[in-house]
PDB file of all heavy atoms in Angstrom:
ATOM      1  N   ALA A  10       7.060   2.390 -31.809  1.00 46.00           N
ATOM      2  CA  ALA A  10       7.496   1.051 -32.088  1.00 46.00           C
ATOM      3  C   ALA A  10       8.907   0.894 -31.501  1.00 46.00           C
ATOM      4  O   ALA A  10       9.799   1.680 -31.728  1.00 46.00           O
ATOM      5  CB  ALA A  10       7.550   0.810 -33.587  1.00 46.00           C
ATOM      6  N   PRO A  11       9.120  -0.205 -30.715  1.00 48.00           N
ATOM      7  CA  PRO A  11      10.491  -0.486 -30.156  1.00 48.00           C
ATOM      8  C   PRO A  11      11.471  -0.776 -31.303  1.00 48.00           C
ATOM      9  O   PRO A  11      11.074  -1.287 -32.349  1.00 48.00           O
ATOM     10  CB  PRO A  11      10.259  -1.716 -29.255  1.00 48.00           C
ATOM     11  CG  PRO A  11       8.757  -1.750 -29.050  1.00 48.00           C
ATOM     12  CD  PRO A  11       8.150  -1.170 -30.295  1.00 48.00           C
ATOM     13  N   PRO A  12      12.693  -0.421 -31.134  1.00 50.00           N
ATOM     14  CA  PRO A  12      13.657  -0.705 -32.160  1.00 50.00           C
ATOM     15  C   PRO A  12      13.907  -2.195 -32.247  1.00 50.00           C
ATOM     16  O   PRO A  12      13.655  -2.950 -31.339  1.00 50.00           O
ATOM     17  CB  PRO A  12      14.943   0.013 -31.622  1.00 50.00           C
ATOM     18  CG  PRO A  12      14.757   0.132 -30.130  1.00 50.00           C
ATOM     19  CD  PRO A  12      13.275   0.279 -29.937  1.00 50.00           C
ATOM     20  N   ALA A  13      14.418  -2.591 -33.432  1.00 52.00           N
ATOM     21  CA  ALA A  13      14.703  -4.006 -33.685  1.00 52.00           C
ATOM     22  C   ALA A  13      15.773  -4.473 -32.673  1.00 52.00           C
ATOM     23  O   ALA A  13      16.731  -3.801 -32.372  1.00 52.00           O
ATOM     24  CB  ALA A  13      15.196  -4.213 -35.113  1.00 52.00           C
ATOM     25  N   GLY A  14      15.555  -5.697 -32.155  1.00 60.00           N
ATOM     26  CA  GLY A  14      16.515  -6.308 -31.240  1.00 60.00           C
ATOM     27  C   GLY A  14      16.396  -5.768 -29.828  1.00 60.00           C
ATOM     28  O   GLY A  14      17.313  -5.924 -29.033  1.00 60.00           O
ATOM     29  N   ALA A  15      15.291  -5.093 -29.501  1.00 71.00           N
ATOM     30  CA  ALA A  15      15.099  -4.506 -28.161  1.00 71.00           C
ATOM     31  C   ALA A  15      14.761  -5.576 -27.131  1.00 71.00           C
ATOM     32  O   ALA A  15      14.757  -5.296 -25.943  1.00 71.00           O
ATOM     33  CB  ALA A  15      14.044  -3.444 -28.164  1.00 71.00           C
ATOM     34  N   GLY A  16      14.414  -6.764 -27.541  1.00 88.00           N
ATOM     35  CA  GLY A  16      14.016  -7.786 -26.620  1.00 88.00           C
ATOM     36  C   GLY A  16      12.529  -8.139 -26.841  1.00 88.00           C
ATOM     37  O   GLY A  16      11.781  -7.403 -27.487  1.00 88.00           O
ATOM     38  N   ARG A  17      12.143  -9.256 -26.303  1.00 92.00           N
ATOM     39  CA  ARG A  17      10.718  -9.684 -26.467  1.00 92.00           C
ATOM     40  C   ARG A  17      10.240 -10.395 -25.229  1.00 92.00           C
ATOM     41  O   ARG A  17      10.985 -10.829 -24.388  1.00 92.00           O
ATOM     42  CB  ARG A  17      10.614 -10.617 -27.695  1.00 92.00           C
ATOM     43  CG  ARG A  17      11.554 -11.796 -27.652  1.00 92.00           C
ATOM     44  CD  ARG A  17      11.348 -12.727 -28.844  1.00 92.00           C
ATOM     45  NE  ARG A  17      12.311 -13.786 -28.895  1.00 92.00           N
ATOM     46  CZ  ARG A  17      12.053 -14.951 -29.543  1.00 92.00           C
ATOM     47  NH1 ARG A  17      10.935 -15.128 -30.172  1.00 92.00           N
ATOM     48  NH2 ARG A  17      13.013 -15.875 -29.566  1.00 92.00           N
ATOM     49  N   TYR A  18       8.916 -10.548 -25.207  1.00 94.00           N
ATOM     50  CA  TYR A  18       8.282 -11.244 -24.085  1.00 94.00           C
ATOM     51  C   TYR A  18       7.190 -12.209 -24.624  1.00 94.00           C
ATOM     52  O   TYR A  18       6.687 -12.022 -25.725  1.00 94.00           O
ATOM     53  CB  TYR A  18       7.670 -10.235 -23.121  1.00 94.00           C
ATOM     54  CG  TYR A  18       6.385  -9.680 -23.630  1.00 94.00           C
ATOM     55  CD1 TYR A  18       5.112 -10.216 -23.282  1.00 94.00           C
ATOM     56  CD2 TYR A  18       6.360  -8.547 -24.454  1.00 94.00           C
ATOM     57  CE1 TYR A  18       3.926  -9.688 -23.740  1.00 94.00           C
ATOM     58  CE2 TYR A  18       5.162  -8.003 -24.947  1.00 94.00           C
ATOM     59  CZ  TYR A  18       3.970  -8.587 -24.586  1.00 94.00           C
ATOM     60  OH  TYR A  18       2.775  -8.048 -25.064  1.00 94.00           O
ATOM     61  N   THR A  19       6.867 -13.160 -23.802  1.00 94.00           N
ATOM     62  CA  THR A  19       5.754 -14.069 -24.034  1.00 94.00           C
ATOM     63  C   THR A  19       5.013 -14.241 -22.699  1.00 94.00           C
ATOM     64  O   THR A  19       5.659 -14.412 -21.686  1.00 94.00           O
ATOM     65  CB  THR A  19       6.217 -15.398 -24.579  1.00 94.00           C
ATOM     66  OG1 THR A  19       6.948 -15.205 -25.762  1.00 94.00           O
ATOM     67  CG2 THR A  19       5.023 -16.346 -24.839  1.00 94.00           C
ATOM     68  N   ARG A  20       3.687 -14.270 -22.766  1.00 95.00           N
ATOM     69  CA  ARG A  20       2.886 -14.311 -21.521  1.00 95.00           C
ATOM     70  C   ARG A  20       1.751 -15.239 -21.692  1.00 95.00           C
ATOM     71  O   ARG A  20       1.090 -15.332 -22.773  1.00 95.00           O
ATOM     72  CB  ARG A  20       2.416 -12.915 -21.111  1.00 95.00           C
ATOM     73  CG  ARG A  20       1.543 -12.858 -19.924  1.00 95.00           C
ATOM     74  CD  ARG A  20       1.348 -11.460 -19.378  1.00 95.00           C
ATOM     75  NE  ARG A  20       1.133 -10.516 -20.499  1.00 95.00           N
ATOM     76  CZ  ARG A  20       1.392  -9.219 -20.407  1.00 95.00           C
ATOM     77  NH1 ARG A  20       1.905  -8.676 -19.339  1.00 95.00           N
ATOM     78  NH2 ARG A  20       1.164  -8.405 -21.483  1.00 95.00           N
ATOM     79  N   ARG A  21       1.420 -15.943 -20.599  1.00 95.00           N
ATOM     80  CA  ARG A  21       0.255 -16.817 -20.530  1.00 95.00           C
ATOM     81  C   ARG A  21      -0.484 -16.472 -19.216  1.00 95.00           C
ATOM     82  O   ARG A  21       0.146 -16.464 -18.152  1.00 95.00           O
ATOM     83  CB  ARG A  21       0.582 -18.313 -20.502  1.00 95.00           C
ATOM     84  CG  ARG A  21       1.485 -18.713 -21.718  1.00 95.00           C
ATOM     85  CD  ARG A  21       0.695 -18.756 -23.003  1.00 95.00           C
ATOM     86  NE  ARG A  21       1.539 -19.249 -24.107  1.00 95.00           N
ATOM     87  CZ  ARG A  21       2.038 -18.504 -25.081  1.00 95.00           C
ATOM     88  NH1 ARG A  21       1.876 -17.153 -24.971  1.00 95.00           N
ATOM     89  NH2 ARG A  21       2.770 -18.969 -26.036  1.00 95.00           N
ATOM     90  N   ARG A  22      -1.775 -16.209 -19.292  1.00 95.00           N
ATOM     91  CA  ARG A  22      -2.541 -15.949 -18.086  1.00 95.00           C
ATOM     92  C   ARG A  22      -3.744 -16.884 -18.076  1.00 95.00           C
ATOM     93  O   ARG A  22      -4.575 -16.826 -18.953  1.00 95.00           O
ATOM     94  CB  ARG A  22      -3.020 -14.492 -18.024  1.00 95.00           C
ATOM     95  CG  ARG A  22      -3.652 -14.175 -16.663  1.00 95.00           C
ATOM     96  CD  ARG A  22      -4.122 -12.737 -16.578  1.00 95.00           C
ATOM     97  NE  ARG A  22      -5.369 -12.522 -17.309  1.00 95.00           N
ATOM     98  CZ  ARG A  22      -6.102 -11.387 -17.314  1.00 95.00           C
ATOM     99  NH1 ARG A  22      -5.645 -10.358 -16.610  1.00 95.00           N
ATOM    100  NH2 ARG A  22      -7.207 -11.304 -18.028  1.00 95.00           N
ATOM    101  N   LEU A  23      -3.820 -17.702 -16.997  1.00 94.00           N
ATOM    102  CA  LEU A  23      -4.887 -18.673 -16.862  1.00 94.00           C
ATOM    103  C   LEU A  23      -5.752 -18.293 -15.693  1.00 94.00           C
ATOM    104  O   LEU A  23      -5.257 -18.066 -14.573  1.00 94.00           O
ATOM    105  CB  LEU A  23      -4.260 -20.089 -16.677  1.00 94.00           C
ATOM    106  CG  LEU A  23      -5.291 -21.204 -16.427  1.00 94.00           C
ATOM    107  CD1 LEU A  23      -6.090 -21.472 -17.719  1.00 94.00           C
ATOM    108  CD2 LEU A  23      -4.538 -22.499 -16.019  1.00 94.00           C
ATOM    109  N   ARG A  24      -7.040 -18.256 -15.887  1.00 93.00           N
ATOM    110  CA  ARG A  24      -7.990 -17.973 -14.840  1.00 93.00           C
ATOM    111  C   ARG A  24      -8.957 -19.122 -14.636  1.00 93.00           C
ATOM    112  O   ARG A  24      -9.579 -19.571 -15.658  1.00 93.00           O
ATOM    113  CB  ARG A  24      -8.766 -16.682 -15.133  1.00 93.00           C
ATOM    114  CG  ARG A  24      -7.867 -15.526 -15.467  1.00 93.00           C
ATOM    115  CD  ARG A  24      -8.591 -14.226 -15.495  1.00 93.00           C
ATOM    116  NE  ARG A  24      -8.952 -13.754 -14.126  1.00 93.00           N
ATOM    117  CZ  ARG A  24      -9.528 -12.609 -13.880  1.00 93.00           C
ATOM    118  NH1 ARG A  24      -9.791 -11.735 -14.845  1.00 93.00           N
ATOM    119  NH2 ARG A  24      -9.827 -12.276 -12.610  1.00 93.00           N
ATOM    120  N   THR A  25      -9.045 -19.653 -13.422  1.00 92.00           N
ATOM    121  CA  THR A  25      -9.881 -20.801 -13.158  1.00 92.00           C
ATOM    122  C   THR A  25     -10.755 -20.508 -11.935  1.00 92.00           C
ATOM    123  O   THR A  25     -10.382 -19.691 -11.098  1.00 92.00           O
ATOM    124  CB  THR A  25      -9.044 -22.018 -12.860  1.00 92.00           C
ATOM    125  OG1 THR A  25      -8.126 -21.760 -11.785  1.00 92.00           O
ATOM    126  CG2 THR A  25      -8.202 -22.465 -14.078  1.00 92.00           C
ATOM    127  N   PRO A  26     -11.932 -21.126 -11.870  1.00 90.00           N
ATOM    128  CA  PRO A  26     -12.864 -20.845 -10.746  1.00 90.00           C
ATOM    129  C   PRO A  26     -12.321 -21.388  -9.447  1.00 90.00           C
ATOM    130  O   PRO A  26     -11.586 -22.400  -9.413  1.00 90.00           O
ATOM    131  CB  PRO A  26     -14.119 -21.509 -11.124  1.00 90.00           C
ATOM    132  CG  PRO A  26     -13.746 -22.606 -12.109  1.00 90.00           C
ATOM    133  CD  PRO A  26     -12.548 -22.081 -12.818  1.00 90.00           C
ATOM    134  N   ALA A  27     -12.600 -20.717  -8.339  1.00 88.00           N
ATOM    135  CA  ALA A  27     -12.216 -21.134  -7.017  1.00 88.00           C
ATOM    136  C   ALA A  27     -13.346 -20.783  -6.046  1.00 88.00           C
ATOM    137  O   ALA A  27     -14.202 -19.958  -6.379  1.00 88.00           O
ATOM    138  CB  ALA A  27     -10.946 -20.456  -6.552  1.00 88.00           C
ATOM    139  N   PRO A  28     -13.455 -21.417  -4.865  1.00 87.00           N
ATOM    140  CA  PRO A  28     -14.515 -21.060  -3.924  1.00 87.00           C
ATOM    141  C   PRO A  28     -14.471 -19.557  -3.599  1.00 87.00           C
ATOM    142  O   PRO A  28     -13.428 -19.059  -3.176  1.00 87.00           O
ATOM    143  CB  PRO A  28     -14.164 -21.956  -2.688  1.00 87.00           C
ATOM    144  CG  PRO A  28     -13.423 -23.094  -3.249  1.00 87.00           C
ATOM    145  CD  PRO A  28     -12.631 -22.549  -4.392  1.00 87.00           C
ATOM    146  N   HIS A  29     -15.573 -18.893  -3.802  1.00 85.00           N
ATOM    147  CA  HIS A  29     -15.749 -17.466  -3.467  1.00 85.00           C
ATOM    148  C   HIS A  29     -14.772 -16.621  -4.260  1.00 85.00           C
ATOM    149  O   HIS A  29     -14.459 -15.491  -3.850  1.00 85.00           O
ATOM    150  CB  HIS A  29     -15.524 -17.236  -2.000  1.00 85.00           C
ATOM    151  CG  HIS A  29     -16.278 -18.149  -1.092  1.00 85.00           C
ATOM    152  ND1 HIS A  29     -17.669 -18.187  -1.103  1.00 85.00           N
ATOM    153  CD2 HIS A  29     -15.886 -19.020  -0.165  1.00 85.00           C
ATOM    154  CE1 HIS A  29     -18.107 -19.065  -0.214  1.00 85.00           C
ATOM    155  NE2 HIS A  29     -17.040 -19.609   0.316  1.00 85.00           N
ATOM    156  N   GLY A  30     -14.294 -17.038  -5.479  1.00 88.00           N
ATOM    157  CA  GLY A  30     -13.400 -16.186  -6.191  1.00 88.00           C
ATOM    158  C   GLY A  30     -12.798 -16.888  -7.392  1.00 88.00           C
ATOM    159  O   GLY A  30     -13.367 -17.862  -7.955  1.00 88.00           O
ATOM    160  N   THR A  31     -11.589 -16.408  -7.780  1.00 90.00           N
ATOM    161  CA  THR A  31     -10.936 -16.898  -8.999  1.00 90.00           C
ATOM    162  C   THR A  31      -9.454 -17.041  -8.731  1.00 90.00           C
ATOM    163  O   THR A  31      -8.815 -16.179  -8.113  1.00 90.00           O
ATOM    164  CB  THR A  31     -11.156 -15.896 -10.169  1.00 90.00           C
ATOM    165  OG1 THR A  31     -12.500 -15.711 -10.407  1.00 90.00           O
ATOM    166  CG2 THR A  31     -10.440 -16.432 -11.430  1.00 90.00           C
ATOM    167  N   HIS A  32      -8.917 -18.184  -9.173  1.00 93.00           N
ATOM    168  CA  HIS A  32      -7.465 -18.393  -9.168  1.00 93.00           C
ATOM    169  C   HIS A  32      -6.877 -17.827 -10.493  1.00 93.00           C
ATOM    170  O   HIS A  32      -7.472 -18.058 -11.553  1.00 93.00           O
ATOM    171  CB  HIS A  32      -7.085 -19.849  -9.090  1.00 93.00           C
ATOM    172  CG  HIS A  32      -7.170 -20.387  -7.650  1.00 93.00           C
ATOM    173  ND1 HIS A  32      -6.530 -19.878  -6.615  1.00 93.00           N
ATOM    174  CD2 HIS A  32      -7.835 -21.493  -7.181  1.00 93.00           C
ATOM    175  CE1 HIS A  32      -6.781 -20.539  -5.493  1.00 93.00           C
ATOM    176  NE2 HIS A  32      -7.597 -21.536  -5.829  1.00 93.00           N
ATOM    177  N   GLN A  33      -5.794 -17.081 -10.370  1.00 94.00           N
ATOM    178  CA  GLN A  33      -5.154 -16.533 -11.566  1.00 94.00           C
ATOM    179  C   GLN A  33      -3.687 -16.954 -11.588  1.00 94.00           C
ATOM    180  O   GLN A  33      -2.970 -16.686 -10.598  1.00 94.00           O
ATOM    181  CB  GLN A  33      -5.302 -15.038 -11.599  1.00 94.00           C
ATOM    182  CG  GLN A  33      -4.605 -14.380 -12.839  1.00 94.00           C
ATOM    183  CD  GLN A  33      -4.927 -12.896 -12.906  1.00 94.00           C
ATOM    184  OE1 GLN A  33      -6.095 -12.522 -13.166  1.00 94.00           O
ATOM    185  NE2 GLN A  33      -3.907 -12.080 -12.745  1.00 94.00           N
ATOM    186  N   LEU A  34      -3.244 -17.543 -12.665  1.00 94.00           N
ATOM    187  CA  LEU A  34      -1.866 -17.969 -12.808  1.00 94.00           C
ATOM    188  C   LEU A  34      -1.264 -17.239 -14.009  1.00 94.00           C
ATOM    189  O   LEU A  34      -1.829 -17.315 -15.133  1.00 94.00           O
ATOM    190  CB  LEU A  34      -1.795 -19.465 -13.017  1.00 94.00           C
ATOM    191  CG  LEU A  34      -0.392 -20.087 -13.074  1.00 94.00           C
ATOM    192  CD1 LEU A  34       0.202 -20.158 -11.663  1.00 94.00           C
ATOM    193  CD2 LEU A  34      -0.420 -21.498 -13.686  1.00 94.00           C
ATOM    194  N   THR A  35      -0.191 -16.504 -13.821  1.00 96.00           N
ATOM    195  CA  THR A  35       0.431 -15.740 -14.935  1.00 96.00           C
ATOM    196  C   THR A  35       1.869 -16.195 -15.057  1.00 96.00           C
ATOM    197  O   THR A  35       2.623 -16.125 -14.132  1.00 96.00           O
ATOM    198  CB  THR A  35       0.374 -14.239 -14.629  1.00 96.00           C
ATOM    199  OG1 THR A  35      -0.989 -13.828 -14.348  1.00 96.00           O
ATOM    200  CG2 THR A  35       0.916 -13.429 -15.790  1.00 96.00           C
ATOM    201  N   LEU A  36       2.212 -16.588 -16.297  1.00 96.00           N
ATOM    202  CA  LEU A  36       3.610 -16.996 -16.582  1.00 96.00           C
ATOM    203  C   LEU A  36       4.136 -16.047 -17.634  1.00 96.00           C
ATOM    204  O   LEU A  36       3.552 -15.873 -18.711  1.00 96.00           O
ATOM    205  CB  LEU A  36       3.641 -18.407 -17.114  1.00 96.00           C
ATOM    206  CG  LEU A  36       4.994 -18.951 -17.572  1.00 96.00           C
ATOM    207  CD1 LEU A  36       5.954 -19.052 -16.415  1.00 96.00           C
ATOM    208  CD2 LEU A  36       4.836 -20.328 -18.208  1.00 96.00           C
ATOM    209  N   THR A  37       5.225 -15.329 -17.294  1.00 96.00           N
ATOM    210  CA  THR A  37       5.815 -14.351 -18.206  1.00 96.00           C
ATOM    211  C   THR A  37       7.241 -14.711 -18.452  1.00 96.00           C
ATOM    212  O   THR A  37       8.035 -14.938 -17.508  1.00 96.00           O
ATOM    213  CB  THR A  37       5.734 -12.927 -17.597  1.00 96.00           C
ATOM    214  OG1 THR A  37       4.364 -12.675 -17.189  1.00 96.00           O
ATOM    215  CG2 THR A  37       6.170 -11.888 -18.591  1.00 96.00           C
ATOM    216  N   LEU A  38       7.674 -14.669 -19.694  1.00 96.00           N
ATOM    217  CA  LEU A  38       9.096 -14.873 -20.052  1.00 96.00           C
ATOM    218  C   LEU A  38       9.546 -13.679 -20.837  1.00 96.00           C
ATOM    219  O   LEU A  38       8.879 -13.213 -21.743  1.00 96.00           O
ATOM    220  CB  LEU A  38       9.260 -16.152 -20.923  1.00 96.00           C
ATOM    221  CG  LEU A  38       8.883 -17.482 -20.254  1.00 96.00           C
ATOM    222  CD1 LEU A  38       7.421 -17.842 -20.584  1.00 96.00           C
ATOM    223  CD2 LEU A  38       9.832 -18.607 -20.670  1.00 96.00           C
ATOM    224  N   ALA A  39      10.669 -13.116 -20.413  1.00 95.00           N
ATOM    225  CA  ALA A  39      11.179 -11.862 -21.072  1.00 95.00           C
ATOM    226  C   ALA A  39      12.695 -12.070 -21.309  1.00 95.00           C
ATOM    227  O   ALA A  39      13.443 -12.477 -20.407  1.00 95.00           O
ATOM    228  CB  ALA A  39      10.942 -10.682 -20.170  1.00 95.00           C
ATOM    229  N   THR A  40      13.104 -11.621 -22.482  1.00 94.00           N
ATOM    230  CA  THR A  40      14.505 -11.715 -22.899  1.00 94.00           C
ATOM    231  C   THR A  40      14.930 -10.422 -23.513  1.00 94.00           C
ATOM    232  O   THR A  40      14.340  -9.966 -24.488  1.00 94.00           O
ATOM    233  CB  THR A  40      14.754 -12.857 -23.906  1.00 94.00           C
ATOM    234  OG1 THR A  40      14.190 -14.096 -23.364  1.00 94.00           O
ATOM    235  CG2 THR A  40      16.240 -13.069 -24.132  1.00 94.00           C
ATOM    236  N   ALA A  41      15.936  -9.750 -22.929  1.00 91.00           N
ATOM    237  CA  ALA A  41      16.464  -8.528 -23.502  1.00 91.00           C
ATOM    238  C   ALA A  41      17.387  -8.831 -24.630  1.00 91.00           C
ATOM    239  O   ALA A  41      17.639 -10.026 -24.995  1.00 91.00           O
ATOM    240  CB  ALA A  41      17.168  -7.747 -22.420  1.00 91.00           C
ATOM    241  N   ALA A  42      17.917  -7.788 -25.279  1.00 85.00           N
ATOM    242  CA  ALA A  42      18.809  -8.014 -26.369  1.00 85.00           C
ATOM    243  C   ALA A  42      20.063  -8.771 -25.984  1.00 85.00           C
ATOM    244  O   ALA A  42      20.576  -9.600 -26.758  1.00 85.00           O
ATOM    245  CB  ALA A  42      19.218  -6.621 -26.970  1.00 85.00           C
ATOM    246  N   GLU A  43      20.466  -8.601 -24.759  1.00 86.00           N
ATOM    247  CA  GLU A  43      21.590  -9.354 -24.221  1.00 86.00           C
ATOM    248  C   GLU A  43      21.221  -9.859 -22.813  1.00 86.00           C
ATOM    249  O   GLU A  43      20.504  -9.176 -22.095  1.00 86.00           O
ATOM    250  CB  GLU A  43      22.869  -8.491 -24.154  1.00 86.00           C
ATOM    251  CG  GLU A  43      23.382  -8.006 -25.483  1.00 86.00           C
ATOM    252  CD  GLU A  43      24.621  -7.203 -25.345  1.00 86.00           C
ATOM    253  OE1 GLU A  43      25.057  -6.925 -24.156  1.00 86.00           O
ATOM    254  OE2 GLU A  43      25.182  -6.765 -26.391  1.00 86.00           O
ATOM    255  N   GLY A  44      21.707 -11.039 -22.501  1.00 87.00           N
ATOM    256  CA  GLY A  44      21.404 -11.541 -21.133  1.00 87.00           C
ATOM    257  C   GLY A  44      20.529 -12.784 -21.208  1.00 87.00           C
ATOM    258  O   GLY A  44      20.064 -13.201 -22.299  1.00 87.00           O
TER     259      GLY A  44
END
């Protein structure tokens, strides 16, 4: 388990159909303890 105040992240991954394949969109937000 990470220590308290080590920072956190949030992620969203969206997959949608595309011709002959798949489009993938990934949005990631990360914040350290400082910064």
Side-chain angles (χ1 to χ4, degrees):
R17 56 177 173 156
Y18 76 93
T19 302
R20 176 167 43 205
R21 307 286 184 256
R22 188 181 76 173
L23 177 68
R24 308 191 72 174
T25 57
H29 310 299
T31 302
H32 281 306
Q33 178 172 295
L34 186 74
T35 306
L36 177 65
T37 308
L38 298 95
T40 308
E43 296 180 358

